[in-house]
Amino acid sequence: MAWLVAMGLVVLLAAAASVKRVGQNERGLVFRTGRLRERVLRPGAVVLVPFVDRLERVDVSETVVEVPFTGPAMDGRRARVEAVLTFWVVDPVVATTAVQNHRTAICQLALVVMRTEAEQRTFGELTTAREELRRALLREVAPAAAGWGVRLDRVEVRSVTAAEPSAPEPNRP
């Protein structure tokens, strides 16, 4: 009799573990033994095969990230550039399988673009070239983000200011 109760408890726990929920601003992807199943799950309840299926949720709501950059301008002065990027996932499958973390990848690429633009201008030019910096970010980040299943909506350069002096920069060749 005790083994029957134990079996019933195991079946009940397996049934409870197989029901998952996908939120309103999410899409669900089911991986069965490591392989992506073909369809994208809409919001609602999902029944999975316990211990075989894994549900990965992808947030498809609009995401706003701040990307602060501090580094040297062409004349050696340190500049602090603050940009804001707004994007959202248009293809959850590509956003999950093409890159490990699309949010981090977009932020890192934006930092590289800001560093490149800062190194090509003096500090004075950089403070007046906010629109050019914004266009460079949009030109470089948007195509890469599209390849990761993400649509970049807006890019704004919030401020360009002098950075607090810190340790001296190493000599550059």
Side-chain angles (χ1 to χ4, degrees), residues 81-84 130-131 133-134 137 155-160:
V81 181
E82 294 180 8
V84 177
R130 286 174 49 177
E131 181 60 27
L133 182 57
R134 186 190 77 77
L137 282 166
V155 175
E156 295 297 328
V157 177
R158 183 182 298 166
S159 66
V160 178

Side-chain angles (χ1 to χ4, degrees), residues 49-81:
V49 177
F51 311 113
V52 176
D53 288 345
R54 178 178 57 90
L55 177 67
E56 186 162 331
R57 294 173 180 90
V58 179
D59 186 6
V60 294
S61 62
E62 188 173 65
T63 304
V64 178
V65 293
E66 293 182 25
V67 184
F69 164 75
T70 303
M74 189 170 76
D75 58 0
R77 290 187 60 190
R78 293 182 58 80
R80 177 160 177 83
V81 181

